[in-house]
Amino acid sequence: MADLFDGYSLGQQWDEMFSAPGQPRSPYTGLFSSLQPMSGEELAARADVLSQTYRDAGVTFAHAGEEQPFPLDIVPRVIGHEEWAVIERGVAQRVRALEAFLADVYGAGEVFADRVVPRSVVTTSAHFHRAAHGLVPPNGVRVHVSGIDLVRDEAGDFRVLEDNLRSPSGVSYVITNRAAMSSVLPELFGDHRVQPVAEYPGRLLAALKASAPTGVVDPTVVLLTPGVYNSAYFEHALLARQMGVELVEGRDLVCSGGQVSMRTTDGQQRVDVIYRRIDDEFLDPVHFRSDSVIGCAGVVNAARAGRVTIANAVGNGVADDKLLYTWVPDLIRYHLGEEPILKNADTYRLDEPDTVEWVLASLDQLVLKPVDGSGGKGIVIGPRADQRTLEELAVKVRASPRDWIAQKPIGLSTSPTLINGRIAPRHVDLRPFAVNDGTDVWVLPGGLTRVALPEGELVVNSSQGGGSKDTWVISPPRPSLEPVPEHDVTRIEFTTADLPAEPPAQDPGPPNDNALAQSQQQQQAGPLQGPAASRRVAGGRGSSQC
């Protein structure tokens, strides 16, 4: 094995590339063969070009209050087509079940009457909004875009870590990662049949237009952003540009008479669909925070009147609350009548005193997560926490058990990552993105692989300093060309003995009437002489010569 992989150590966690030292897994065979001859210096030089490409393109993410280039590792993650088919079906199944749950929560509430989920779990959620009750989207879709976070456990099985149904971010990096990688390592793409990711903006735009209010033929779609100081503003601008829609802020919108319009140089223009990247609390000061200046007053009333569609819908956060997450397998069985394709991580609800006491006694062996947290904030990994942190955590959990869930630690899988000119294992997760147009749930091939860059770190979130990898989903092999079966026909064979001794006489064919009439006229007029005769024969009757 070349120096590039020398010293690459395999731990107890599942490694994405290697099943044993120097033995790549099947989807990685081609990538390993391409990378193996490279030196660490050569790969590091290409990584520098990759980083410069990102800086030149302005691909950034706000971290610790500063706008920084988004770290992209040069070694891609590869997923085989059979494994991806399971992920694709599992993500789509989960989205359909959560869609049905949201429709029921803000509608009839049968899931409570049938005692599948306690009503208190929903009503005590910080993201349950009564303003959304009875608000039915035009095509029934509330989760237009979702990001389902997956990790691979020690056995190599994918498990769902959490659901993101409000404003999942990161898809812009999927698109830009692919563009940058194909320019820096084009030879790798020539050896692999990697499924494309560039069709995401078109799929998203089609889903947004499909959700337009009833009767709107050519809907106007806008992307609502909090502004340039938002950590994901790069993504907002990229998606708006690639979808060909206006990127607007709250001050660009006005709601009057139940109709939302945007201010333009030609006057106000009607808006039919708002793809908002603003949290519920700041979206409409009439119903939520009255001090918000980044939303649009009256937009929720316009949605209730059927004059505008808000994507994703208001109140979706109740379905990605981490406490509700523990009931999702039951919701799949209840709403779809199916068994979950993707399992949850082993999780404990702190809704019973005995469970709370057991968790408090085992804090050093568990991972505690706040139910309404995001971006990795507030997570305490017990086996790595100091005594003071655990004591402070115990006070918080005892004071408000509903605000926490406990999980058994999962040994997140590792993936080869370029660190200081050498390849080393680093922990990764995966966020596939799904788009629901009301007819089909389409899952973007690959999604965003996030990687924890510090050695041993388990928190991979970009907001916590993590990086990303280009995620390759390999297409199935082309079907082999099978020989066309011969038809059952009767064959007649001849030999020279079957041929006649003399060839048959040639049939002269039917007589030429015009030639025969011309011959008779010549015989009556006598032979023609000299050049005049030539001209008459050549020109024919009625012809003229110059």
Side-chain angles (χ1 to χ4, degrees):
M1 190 163 53
D3 292 342
L4 188 64
F5 290 97
D6 281 351
Y8 187 89
S9 59
L10 297 179
Q12 296 181 348
Q13 297 86 6
W14 179 278
D15 191 82
E16 296 291 330
M17 179 179 279
F18 296 105
S19 58
Q23 299 181 14
R25 303 186 190 277
S26 178
Y28 279 90
T29 303
L31 178 64
F32 178 69
S33 300
S34 299
L35 292 178
Q36 193 178 23
M38 293 186 185
S39 65
E41 293 75 13
E42 179 184 355
L43 194 61
R46 295 208 188 192
D48 289 340
V49 175
L50 186 66
S51 179
Q52 186 62 47
T53 300
Y54 250 37
R55 284 194 292 269
D56 293 345
V59 183
T60 61
F61 192 90
H63 173 57
E66 297 182 3
E67 201 74 13
Q68 301 176 0
F70 190 63
L72 169 60
D73 183 60
I74 197 169
V75 183
R77 180 188 194 164
V78 184
I79 301 176
H81 64 93
E82 293 180 352
E83 206 166 42
W84 177 252
V86 175
I87 294 174
E88 190 174 40
R89 290 188 293 108
V91 169
Q93 179 193 59
R94 203 167 179 98
V95 171
R96 288 195 299 269
L98 291 171
E99 279 276 15
F101 170 73
L102 284 168
D104 192 33
V105 163
Y106 291 109
E110 294 178 355
V111 72
F112 307 132
D114 292 337
R115 301 181 180 278
V116 180
V117 175
R119 187 182 297 271
S120 60
V121 171
V122 170
T123 57
T124 58
S125 172
H127 304 293
F128 173 67
H129 297 305
R130 288 177 172 81
H133 191 274
L135 202 166
V136 180
N139 66 340
V141 175
R142 288 173 168 81
V143 187
H144 304 80
V145 182
S146 56
I148 309 299
D149 290 350
L150 308 177
V151 294
R152 198 198 291 266
D153 62 17
E154 297 87 346
D157 297 324
F158 279 101
R159 290 177 176 259
V160 179
L161 203 59
E162 64 179 49
D163 306 290
N164 298 278
L165 310 179
R166 284 171 280 170
S167 299
S169 63
V171 73
S172 62
Y173 305 116
V174 178
I175 299 170
T176 52
N177 285 356
R178 180 62 52 82
M181 285 288 292
S182 60
S183 65
V184 175
L185 289 170
E187 67 273 22
L188 295 186
F189 288 87
D191 298 333
H192 296 79
R193 297 184 64 217
V194 183
Q195 295 191 28
V197 298
E199 62 178 307
Y200 178 87
R203 290 272 191 168
L204 175 58
L205 180 60
L208 294 173
K209 287 187 173 182
S211 69
T214 305
V216 177
V217 178
D218 185 18
T220 298
V221 179
V222 299
L223 193 155
L224 177 60
T225 176
V228 296
Y229 297 107
N230 185 263
S231 61
Y233 182 76
F234 167 80
E235 174 161 302
H236 306 165
L238 179 104
L239 289 177
R241 184 171 64 252
Q242 294 202 354
M243 287 193 294
V245 304
E246 292 292 337
L247 180 65
V248 301
E249 297 182 25
R251 59 188 175 182
D252 299 318
L253 301 178
V254 58
C255 184
S256 177
Q259 178 66 60
V260 179
S261 303
M262 65 174 164
R263 297 182 175 94
T264 72
T265 54
D266 296 327
Q268 293 185 4
Q269 179 182 351
R270 187 193 70 205
V271 172
D272 303 301
V273 181
I274 301 175
Y275 175 40
R276 52 77 177 248
R277 298 298 296 264
I278 293 178
D279 292 340
D280 287 348
E281 289 74 16
F282 298 94
L283 179 62
D284 188 342
V286 173
H287 290 277
F288 306 115
R289 290 188 53 163
S290 59
D291 61 342
S292 173
V293 295
I294 61 175
C296 175
V299 67
V300 173
N301 290 342
R304 183 176 297 279
R307 307 292 291 277
V308 71
T309 298
I310 301 173
N312 283 349
V314 173
N316 278 10
V318 71
D320 64 17
D321 183 301
K322 291 182 177 62
L323 182 57
L324 192 280
Y325 155 91
T326 62
W327 271 280
V328 173
D330 295 327
L331 294 176
I332 293 173
R333 299 183 185 98
Y334 176 73
H335 288 295
L336 306 181
E338 303 170 356
E339 283 298 311
I341 297 172
L342 297 172
K343 295 181 179 179
N344 279 10
D346 293 335
T347 307
Y348 302 94
R349 299 190 288 259
L350 308 187
D351 53 353
E352 295 182 1
D354 291 345
T355 305
V356 174
E357 293 302 322
W358 175 80
V359 168
L360 289 173
S362 310
L363 287 179
D364 59 340
Q365 305 172 39
L366 300 170
V367 176
L368 272 290
K369 295 181 178 181
V371 296
D372 62 347
S374 62
K377 297 177 182 177
I379 294 177
V380 178
I381 301 175
R384 301 190 177 194
D386 56 37
Q387 187 61 32
R388 180 178 179 180
T389 300
L390 293 178
E391 290 174 356
E392 293 176 351
L393 176 63
V395 173
K396 295 177 182 177
V397 171
R398 191 177 295 278
S400 183
R402 194 262 181 247
D403 293 342
W404 298 86
I405 59 169
Q407 293 180 332
K408 288 184 177 180
I410 297 179
L412 273 65
S413 63
T414 57
S415 181
T417 305
L418 184 65
I419 304 293
N420 298 324
R422 305 283 293 180
I423 296 294
R426 290 294 186 267
H427 294 290
V428 294
D429 76 347
L430 177 65
R431 174 176 288 184
F433 292 90
V435 176
N436 186 2
D437 63 4
T439 302
D440 179 51
V441 178
W442 175 77
V443 183
L444 174 66
L448 179 66
T449 290
R450 296 177 296 183
V451 53
L453 297 177
E455 184 176 4
E457 180 61 66
L458 295 175
V459 179
V460 300
N461 300 77
S462 307
S463 56
Q464 302 298 309
S468 72
K469 287 175 171 287
D470 189 16
T471 309
W472 293 3
V473 174
I474 305 300
S475 296
R478 293 186 178 92
S480 58
L481 298 177
E482 299 181 357
V484 179
E486 295 185 0
H487 296 288
D488 186 12
V489 296
T490 302
R491 299 180 179 276
I492 302 176
E493 298 182 355
F494 294 93
T495 64
T496 54
D498 299 314
L499 299 177
E502 297 293 337
Q506 297 295 319
D507 184 1
N512 189 327
D513 294 338
N514 292 335
L516 180 60
Q518 188 179 53
S519 175
Q520 293 174 349
Q521 290 177 359
Q522 290 177 357
Q523 291 176 359
Q524 293 174 0
L528 298 176
Q529 302 293 331
S534 299
R535 286 196 300 269
R536 289 179 60 188
V537 172
R541 185 175 180 180
S543 66
S544 61
Q545 300 292 334
C546 297

